[in-house]
Amino acid sequence: MSSSVEAITVLSSDGDEFKITVSAAKLSKPLNWMLEDVCFSDDCDEVPTIEVNSKTLVKVIEYCEKHAPRANSGASDSDAEELKKWDIEFMKMDVKDILFHILMAANYLHMEGLYDLACQTAADLMKGMTVSQIRKIFHIKNDFSSEEQEQLRRQHPGCSFD
Amino acid sequence: MEDDKFFLPHEIIFSILKRLPVKSLLRFRCVCKDWNDLFKTSLFIKEYLHHSSHHRGPSLLLQWDYSIFGMLDSDKKTFLPLRAPSVNQPAYMIDIIGSSYGLVCLQIKVGGSLFLWNPATREVQYVPRSKNTRWYQICHIGFGFSRVVNDYKIVRTYYYLKRVEVEVYSLSTGSWKQLEFGNLLEGVSLHGRFAATDEAIYWFAYLNDIVILSFDMATEAITLIPAGPNIHWNVKLMAYENKLALLSGMKLWVMEETTSGGFGQRWNKTKLILNLPSVHSMTIWKNEVIYKCEPVGLYLFNLTTNKLKFLIPWEYGRLMSAFNYVESLVSIGKKNSWTSS
């Protein structure tokens, strides 16, 4: 690709166009490979599609743009501290509505930092949930028979199936 | 909305679950059969331990005045009193020997019975005595986990006919083994508490001069290392960044591998808190030295920034010991639950 390109255009799975700067796109391995392989110059009219919906892609790009400067050059401790605070604010989102989609996207785009952050956020949210709340967000059915439930209760007094 | 049919792949759920505290996982085994089974697999137990020891970082396990146990979270914010292990003995009879990769080794003060304890799952198991009739001999006990052989080991050294004898308990076999060192340990005496890295455990020893006895946790070989200059009996053995370190007041020497047993001085800071009354170093926690100052509280000295910070006030009486601790699901009773695969 030509070195003059500073931002590339990608399509979401919904077909919307998004701009992402080259340095931010480098946070994702597959996007980085694309940058090396595909022609992104102005006379190339092929726009790559990323299999992530628009709502999620907006957030992923926001994360990339924020983290790119630090990833590309070592940052001071105060920057790292600032970024940590930003991450916490950034992750204040609904679990089912968007956090799970971000997890899928980070996994698909091989973004280790975002994946770790999203996993930890999900874990922190789950900590205080009841068993039935967990089943609901993960669409899991309680498949213990009443005998098995009884057995678990005997082995672990106080355990709750609700 | 499409979310109603949105399922996360198994590997992502796995990644989230290994970041939960053990307490939550124990509750969530009631979610479904798959999860209940998953938490018992050696793969999940291993991955969980790896994450909690290498990413989350250690908590601090504290024991006060023989009877109160507590845990300070790795974020240094949450302090929780901990239920004493149920060993059919009053809590003041329990000594913590060591803590390694999720398991804690305990000893009863009178009689010397040993127990292994997983504070997260609250599982406690009695360690059977060796068939050795010299059990009541004065002994030094060490405990650690070898990543090379993937096994927890208790090392017991005692004096017999003017030499040090060594026997080792392995959790994977559930039995003791007497080791043979010929004349190597003749005339040697051991001193103080041990320090453990991932590879070895160490004691101060005396053989004409002060030396360090190193016991390789994987090969079970013993080496006597010269302790280097500036050594006196007030120096404490510690582990720092998985290396053996010597801490004396406000000086820290870290053993560098390249110098084959020599100690290169890495850090030297004086006159920082020496004006406080009765200050004692307890352990090194991540990159900070824990100091206790009676009766004020616990202080942290940061080895990177050279700054001293107050940690927690003195609430529970005398602090007896402090250990690095990471949470795990490792089961002591079920043999091989963590060694296979």
Side-chain angles (χ1 to χ4, degrees):
Chain A
M1 62 168 264
S2 103
S3 57
S4 62
V5 178
E6 278 175 3
I8 54 169
T9 305
V10 291
L11 285 178
S12 72
S13 59
D14 308 327
D16 298 324
E17 276 191 10
F18 289 93
K19 280 230 179 290
I20 176 167
T21 61
V22 168
S23 66
K26 280 182 177 163
L27 259 63
S28 153
K29 275 181 206 141
L31 282 184
N32 204 16
W33 294 328
M34 266 202 245
L35 285 174
E36 286 164 5
D37 293 347
V38 183
C39 158
F40 277 111
S41 56
D42 293 336
D43 51 326
C44 176
D45 42 39
E46 193 189 335
V47 180
T49 303
I50 295 177
E51 288 304 325
V52 173
N53 67 31
S54 299
K55 195 175 165 190
T56 311
L57 195 54
V58 172
K59 292 294 272 184
V60 171
I61 292 174
E62 187 188 346
Y63 176 90
C64 288
E65 299 291 356
K66 183 72 190 178
H67 278 255
R70 185 168 181 267
N72 296 332
S73 66
S76 66
D77 284 351
S78 62
D79 280 351
E81 210 46 49
E82 196 265 335
L83 207 55
K84 237 183 191 169
K85 278 185 195 147
W86 185 88
D87 281 350
I88 293 168
E89 282 304 310
F90 175 73
M91 276 290 149
K92 283 183 181 161
M93 56 179 80
D94 186 77
V95 184
K96 256 174 76 179
D97 201 24
I98 178 107
L99 182 58
F100 282 178
H101 289 271
I102 297 234
L103 266 170
M104 296 281 280
N107 190 40
Y108 158 72
L109 293 168
H110 292 251
M111 294 174 57
E112 212 180 311
L114 180 58
Y115 185 70
D116 283 345
L117 179 66
C119 279
Q120 192 56 55
T121 307
D124 290 343
L125 287 168
M126 285 165 66
K127 257 186 237 175
M129 287 187 185
T130 64
V131 167
S132 42
Q133 282 171 324
I134 293 289
R135 283 196 201 108
K136 205 171 158 207
I137 63 160
F138 286 103
H139 306 286
I140 295 172
K141 253 189 75 187
N142 179 6
D143 56 356
F144 289 105
S145 66
S146 47
E147 290 80 31
E148 287 164 335
Q149 295 198 17
E150 208 37 59
Q151 198 190 342
L152 265 173
R153 278 201 192 97
R154 267 199 308 275
Q155 283 172 353
H156 312 288
C159 73
S160 162
F161 288 84
D162 305 313
Chain B
M1 189 166 165
E2 62 170 291
D3 275 345
D4 290 335
K5 9 183 211 344
F6 186 74
F7 288 93
L8 278 181
H10 192 262
E11 58 169 297
I12 296 184
I13 295 183
F14 193 104
S15 298
I16 300 173
L17 290 174
K18 70 179 184 194
R19 288 169 166 82
L20 279 165
V22 168
K23 206 177 153 189
S24 305
L25 291 183
L26 297 182
R27 277 198 307 119
F28 295 161
R29 65 184 156 204
C30 295
V31 166
C32 63
K33 284 192 202 174
D34 265 358
W35 284 25
N36 184 37
D37 293 339
L38 174 70
F39 301 159
K40 291 186 271 191
T41 61
S42 57
L43 178 69
F44 187 77
I45 293 172
K46 215 183 256 177
E47 283 279 312
Y48 188 92
L49 185 56
H50 181 83
H51 188 268
S52 83
S53 45
H54 298 290
H55 299 279
R56 200 185 306 164
S59 310
L60 196 64
L61 172 65
L62 301 161
Q63 188 186 16
W64 276 274
D65 243 356
Y66 303 93
S67 54
I68 295 163
F69 295 85
M71 193 77 80
L72 192 68
D73 222 26
S74 57
D75 64 8
K76 295 174 202 155
K77 285 177 198 130
T78 343
F79 173 76
L80 288 171
L82 199 65
R83 193 186 290 181
S86 43
V87 293
N88 293 327
Q89 291 277 351
Y92 61 83
M93 290 293 284
I94 303 168
D95 263 339
I96 299 179
I97 297 287
S99 159
S100 184
Y101 284 86
L103 294 189
V104 176
C105 181
L106 308 168
Q107 187 176 36
I108 305 303
K109 282 183 211 298
V110 176
S113 291
L114 294 170
F115 289 86
L116 288 175
W117 176 37
N118 182 331
T121 63
R122 292 192 186 148
E123 188 188 3
V124 183
Q125 280 280 324
Y126 172 71
V127 176
R129 288 185 181 188
S130 67
K131 299 217 168 61
N132 190 335
T133 51
R134 301 186 283 267
W135 180 267
Y136 292 99
Q137 226 89 359
I138 292 171
C139 63
H140 285 79
I141 293 173
F143 171 68
F145 175 70
S146 165
R147 286 169 68 187
V148 179
V149 295
N150 201 25
D151 199 0
Y152 294 85
K153 292 180 182 182
I154 301 173
V155 184
R156 185 174 170 273
T157 68
Y158 59 93
Y159 301 102
Y160 184 70
L161 298 176
K162 290 184 179 166
R163 69 155 83 170
V164 171
E165 297 280 348
V166 184
E167 56 182 6
V168 178
Y169 177 83
S170 130
L171 183 59
S172 68
T173 64
S175 61
W176 289 92
K177 184 169 73 181
Q178 180 82 30
L179 302 178
E180 189 51 60
F181 293 103
N183 296 330
L184 178 68
L185 301 179
E186 210 150 296
V188 173
S189 58
L190 264 55
H191 299 271
R193 277 189 179 266
F194 74 100
T197 64
D198 282 355
E199 290 76 37
I201 60 178
Y202 304 89
W203 276 281
F204 271 130
Y206 193 83
L207 179 69
N208 306 319
D209 199 357
I210 303 173
V211 292
I212 290 164
L213 184 149
S214 131
F215 178 87
D216 188 302
M217 289 298 273
T219 64
E220 301 184 342
I222 279 182
T223 323
L224 296 175
I225 311 167
N230 309 316
I231 289 297
H232 50 85
W233 292 121
N234 287 335
V235 175
K236 283 185 179 168
L237 284 178
M238 306 247 165
Y240 174 58
E241 292 179 339
N242 198 33
K243 287 175 185 161
L244 179 65
L246 302 173
L247 184 68
S248 154
M250 296 300 287
K251 287 195 182 97
L252 181 80
W253 291 270
V254 180
M255 190 163 85
E256 302 295 345
E257 269 164 44
T258 46
T259 54
S260 62
F263 287 88
Q265 189 167 331
R266 246 294 267 266
W267 172 66
N268 186 350
K269 185 81 187 174
T270 49
K271 286 189 213 162
L272 194 72
I273 55 173
L274 297 180
N275 53 344
L276 293 171
S278 63
V279 171
H280 299 279
S281 58
M282 301 295 290
T283 189
I284 299 178
W285 187 31
K286 291 178 271 193
N287 68 335
E288 292 175 302
V289 185
I290 307 275
Y291 286 99
K292 70 166 172 179
C293 169
E294 295 177 42
V296 186
L298 284 191
Y299 287 85
L300 284 175
F301 184 80
N302 190 304
L303 293 168
T304 318
T305 62
N306 279 9
K307 278 189 183 133
L308 186 74
K309 236 173 56 187
F310 185 67
L311 184 60
I312 39 171
W314 215 244
E315 279 179 30
Y316 301 97
R318 259 159 57 81
L319 181 73
M320 302 312 297
S321 51
F323 292 89
N324 283 259
Y325 167 77
V326 294
E327 273 204 331
S328 85
L329 283 162
V330 170
S331 170
I332 312 155
K334 287 185 207 93
K335 246 182 259 165
N336 300 321
S337 65
W338 43 270
T339 48
S340 54
S341 93

